[in-house]
Amino acid sequence: MAKLVILEGPSAGQSHDLSETELLIGRDNTCEISLLDVKASRRHARLRKVKSKYVIEDLGSSNGTFVNDSAMTDHPVTLNDGDEIRIGQSLLRFVGGGSIDVFEDQDTIIQKMDTGLVPLFDDVEKEGGTGALRFLLDLAREAETAGDATRLAEIMAQGLEEAVKADRVILFAGRDSGMQQVERKISKSEAGKYAVPYSKSIVKKVADDKVAILSRITDDDRFMNVESINEHNITSAICVPLMSGEELLGAVYLDRIRKRENFNTHDLDLCSAAALQCSMAFLNIKRLSDLRESRDRLEAELNGPEGFIGKAKSLRSTYDFISRVAPTNAGVLILGESGTGKELVARAIHKQSERVDRAFVIVNCAALAESLAEAELFGHERGAFTGADRARPGRFLAADGGTIFLDEVGELSEPIQAKLLRVLESGEITPVGEAGVRNIDVRVIAATNRDLAEEVERGTFRRDLYYRLNILQVQLPPLRERVEDIALLVEHFVKFLGARCGRNNLKISESLIKRCQTYPWPGNVRELKNTVERMVILCDGDTLTENDLPAEITGARSGLGLSSGIGGMRTLSDVECEHITAVMKEVGGNKKRAAEVLGIDRSTLYSKLKAYDIS
């Protein structure tokens, strides 16, 4: 039976069977083919059947009627299969009687998706029909088991490649034409063909109009100038949206490459049915992902900024500080012992600020060589000093527009302190070897484990720089003041480090947690993490116990009894001194290894060795 298919315009996707001998086309709702098109006249054109042919005539419309882009005159035009009729904003295609599978006069089929109906296959009694139904049943069963979009993409690719003999099957996720391809593993033998660009124009059309497309694209003028098609011999393609009601979830794209038989409408119907079968699974995957994101977001809000784990009262003030200062551009000074999370605080401030999309540059001031510190921070010109074979921008220029984090700022020499003060006050830097100055916009966050106020009184840190850095100050609590968080941290590190080491099923004994809660952790969270990593790697069984703790921790713990300190108990300095001595003995005096075990910087270890007179 002949039909008119509306390809473009407000009524796109509609199809009208031409069962009557005469039909009116126009904007009026009394017309047999009513167009919701403001540029169409109320009674725009008439379609009549004359013997075995259909003819169309314009009824004196305001904007005219066009057949195959040619304006109609006062005479009727006989329609042939595949002719296109332009009325206002609407484009209609005349499909004559006969099989729609034949492409001679129809290079592209665009049909509106009906999410309430699965296409019926009239040839169920034939081999192809029963095979199609069996394929859809198997696909639905497999799709229900998919736990994520990657697995669903693999299931659909495996099924459709076989069912419709497609060279490639690509799943997209998204609500608009900016849909993203769902990544999946591609075998080496298939890598070459998947490296060929797909037809983005077809995928965009499907996403924009929520229609299914079947195209012999090499013969379709719509895609004549599309580079991916012409260069890579994509001969035929199908793209079908994945829908939930009227909501677009994504799309599945299939094509055939080089000279092969084109897809037909049976293939289109099968792909449409497959998309409908998989849409619910895709929606469930998306909902589950959204729920997980919501859960993680809520947990983050409860536990603190990203990267922080802990609910101790001593941390709540830190979380509040971050949320208050992040929106500003003021400098921040973060104080706290080594390993307490000063870098995490700096990152959290940056991520919650208006500078989040710009650079976050970290500078370990303790690691800067005295002779190169100025060039490293502020940059240098080529030939400024021996070895300067090319110009370098420096850390401050790299952070322009963003945030720079000066860790261990108390380790800077006095000359560099003076230059840093100049930068903070003027917003200008002078690269080494350059005559002029450069203006920069950088937020400075500094951190130190030293008592800078005391350093100022001793004259080892500039007073004016201290006041300039100390606009906003936060003191991070050591781990020994967050005993209630130790269990959470141990569980997190065991899960994270266990997965990284391929030991996902490790359990944690209660005795281990209790022992960890009684140890002072002079290296704080960093030392705890390093300790857990060592236990995860060396543990023989599937449960971590206190016996898996390093000897320096159990040894230090065993000596925490009476001492000459106040009230008969040892001071924290005594415990720290003993612990560092035990670690140094354990590693044979290797300072680099000792710093790693303790979770502190080597410069900090050197300071403590000197202060405690440990050889």
Side-chain angles (χ1 to χ4, degrees):
M1 179 182 295
K3 63 175 65 177
L4 269 184
V5 180
I6 304 177
L7 304 178
E8 298 176 4
S11 303
Q14 293 183 10
S15 177
H16 298 272
D17 292 333
L18 305 182
S19 57
E20 302 179 31
T21 58
E22 183 174 305
L23 302 96
L24 290 176
I25 306 173
R27 183 161 44 88
D28 198 295
N29 57 14
T30 61
C31 295
E32 285 78 13
I33 301 178
S34 179
L35 303 175
L36 302 175
D37 190 334
V38 294
K39 292 190 176 182
S41 298
R42 297 180 67 84
R43 293 162 60 90
H44 197 104
R46 177 188 289 112
L47 194 66
R48 293 186 294 115
K49 187 175 184 180
V50 180
K51 295 183 179 180
S52 61
K53 297 288 186 178
Y54 280 87
V55 298
I56 186 170
E57 57 182 317
D58 185 83
L59 299 179
S61 62
S62 301
N63 295 316
T65 302
F66 298 80
V67 177
N68 297 329
D69 294 327
S70 296
M72 289 185 61
T73 61
D74 295 336
H75 302 288
V77 174
T78 300
L79 296 175
N80 296 310
D81 191 20
D83 281 348
E84 292 185 346
I85 306 162
R86 171 71 68 180
I87 295 177
Q89 298 175 337
S90 302
L91 180 66
L92 301 84
R93 174 172 288 167
F94 174 75
V95 181
S99 174
I100 197 170
D101 293 350
V102 181
F103 270 101
E104 279 75 17
D105 295 310
Q106 190 175 10
D107 298 319
T108 298
I109 296 174
I110 303 176
Q111 63 182 28
K112 191 74 172 178
M113 286 288 290
D114 187 346
T115 57
L117 297 174
V118 175
L120 297 176
F121 298 94
D122 297 331
D123 56 349
V124 169
E125 297 302 323
K126 301 178 184 179
E127 182 178 352
T130 55
L133 293 178
R134 188 178 299 110
F135 158 70
L136 292 174
L137 180 60
D138 292 342
L139 182 67
R141 288 173 176 168
E142 287 290 322
E144 286 181 359
T145 66
D148 54 45
T150 298
R151 177 56 185 153
L152 184 61
E154 293 171 352
I155 292 170
M156 295 189 73
Q158 183 178 0
L160 288 172
E161 283 177 3
E162 177 64 28
V164 298
K165 301 299 185 289
D167 286 326
R168 302 189 299 178
V169 179
I170 302 173
L171 181 65
F172 294 88
R175 299 174 180 270
D176 51 38
S177 56
M179 292 187 298
Q180 296 297 312
Q181 182 177 341
V182 176
E183 298 294 335
R184 63 182 178 88
K185 290 183 179 179
I186 303 296
S187 65
K188 291 183 178 179
S189 61
E190 293 185 315
K193 65 183 180 182
Y194 273 94
V196 173
Y198 58 86
S199 176
K200 293 183 180 179
S201 55
I202 289 180
V203 176
K204 185 178 187 303
K205 175 71 173 174
V206 168
D208 288 342
D209 298 343
K210 299 178 183 177
V211 294
I213 292 180
L214 160 63
S215 181
R216 186 171 69 178
I217 49 187
T218 50
D219 297 328
D220 193 326
D221 292 342
R222 299 165 193 266
F223 308 109
M224 182 180 297
N225 297 318
V226 177
E227 183 177 350
S228 63
I229 293 169
N230 295 327
E231 289 189 4
H232 303 290
N233 298 316
I234 302 174
T235 56
S236 183
I238 289 176
C239 191
V240 181
L242 275 70
M243 306 280 292
S244 173
E246 293 299 317
E247 179 185 0
L248 178 70
L249 304 175
V252 59
Y253 168 92
L254 310 84
D255 62 16
R256 288 175 178 171
I257 302 175
R258 303 182 185 89
K259 296 294 182 181
R260 291 190 56 190
E261 182 182 353
N262 292 291
F263 290 122
N264 56 39
T265 52
H266 178 85
D267 299 326
L268 177 63
D269 287 342
L270 192 59
C271 291
S272 298
L276 290 172
Q277 294 282 55
C278 294
S279 290
M280 184 54 67
F282 205 38
L283 180 63
N284 289 338
I285 290 170
K286 183 183 180 304
R287 286 174 174 171
L288 182 60
S289 176
D290 290 344
L291 286 173
R292 286 171 176 165
E293 287 182 5
S294 298
R295 178 201 63 192
D296 293 343
R297 187 169 58 254
L298 287 172
E299 287 182 353
E301 291 175 359
L302 290 173
N303 295 335
E306 181 179 351
F308 279 87
I309 296 173
K311 301 178 181 178
K313 290 183 178 179
S314 56
L315 272 184
R316 301 311 305 178
S317 60
T318 302
Y319 299 160
D320 181 62
F321 175 85
I322 292 171
S323 64
R324 287 174 179 269
V325 306
T328 73
N329 285 314
V332 178
L333 180 61
I334 306 171
L335 304 177
E337 297 177 11
S338 181
T340 51
K342 296 187 287 295
E343 183 181 328
L344 284 178
V345 173
R347 286 187 181 276
I349 292 172
H350 174 71
K351 287 186 176 182
Q352 295 182 32
S353 73
E354 294 180 354
R355 299 171 180 259
V356 62
D357 295 327
R358 305 304 294 270
F360 177 76
V361 177
I362 301 174
V363 180
N364 182 0
C365 298
L368 293 177
E370 176 75 23
S371 58
L372 298 176
E374 181 180 359
E376 187 71 22
L377 289 173
F378 310 124
H380 63 79
E381 287 297 294
R382 180 181 178 183
F385 51 85
T386 303
D389 57 342
R390 55 181 173 175
R392 292 185 180 274
R395 303 293 185 87
F396 270 87
L397 196 58
D400 192 19
T403 304
I404 192 168
F405 174 52
L406 302 177
D407 195 14
E408 301 300 343
V409 70
E411 304 291 337
L412 290 176
S413 65
E414 188 171 354
I416 299 301
Q417 290 179 30
K419 293 182 181 296
L420 176 60
L421 176 63
R422 171 67 179 166
V423 173
L424 295 179
E425 290 181 338
S426 67
E428 297 174 345
I429 62 170
T430 302
V432 178
E434 187 173 306
V437 298
R438 300 190 188 184
N439 294 313
I440 58 169
D441 173 24
V442 176
R443 182 179 194 176
V444 176
I445 300 178
T448 181
N449 58 11
R450 294 187 177 190
D451 186 341
L452 284 190
E454 185 177 323
E455 298 276 340
V456 169
E457 294 304 319
R458 289 209 305 258
T460 56
F461 197 84
R462 292 181 64 103
R463 186 180 299 273
D464 46 7
L465 178 58
Y466 172 66
Y467 291 143
R468 193 66 181 79
L469 292 172
N470 195 28
I471 298 173
L472 296 168
Q473 182 191 115
V474 60
Q475 177 82 41
L476 301 189
L479 186 56
R480 61 183 173 275
E481 295 178 8
R482 300 169 47 198
V483 176
E484 61 267 48
D485 289 337
I486 290 178
L488 291 173
L489 288 164
V490 171
E491 290 171 3
H492 169 76
F493 290 141
V494 168
K495 182 178 179 180
F496 172 74
L497 297 169
R500 197 167 70 180
C501 297
R503 307 192 68 178
N504 297 305
N505 300 316
L506 283 175
K507 299 180 179 62
I508 306 168
S509 70
E510 188 174 344
S511 62
L512 172 64
I513 296 297
K514 288 182 178 178
R515 176 57 66 93
C516 288
Q517 289 174 332
T518 57
Y519 178 69
W521 299 107
N524 293 292
V525 178
R526 186 183 291 123
E527 183 186 4
L528 176 61
K529 180 181 178 182
N530 292 344
T531 299
V532 171
E533 184 171 16
R534 185 188 311 180
M535 289 192 295
V536 167
I537 294 172
L538 300 178
C539 174
D540 292 327
D542 59 358
T543 301
L544 296 177
T545 69
E546 60 181 316
N547 295 327
D548 294 303
L549 285 166
E552 61 265 22
I553 292 181
T554 55
R557 174 63 187 92
S558 63
L560 283 177
L562 296 176
S563 181
S564 58
I566 299 174
M569 299 297 291
R570 298 191 307 162
T571 65
L572 178 61
S573 296
D574 291 335
V575 173
E576 185 175 60
C577 176
E578 180 181 323
H579 180 55
I580 293 174
T581 302
V583 172
M584 288 292 292
K585 182 178 180 181
E586 182 74 18
V587 300
N590 187 323
K591 295 184 178 63
K592 179 181 178 181
R593 180 62 185 142
E596 292 175 350
V597 171
L598 292 169
I600 59 179
D601 297 320
R602 267 191 285 178
S603 59
T604 304
L605 175 62
Y606 295 152
S607 299
K608 292 182 181 295
L609 291 175
K610 183 177 180 180
Y612 294 134
D613 194 22
I614 301 173
S615 60

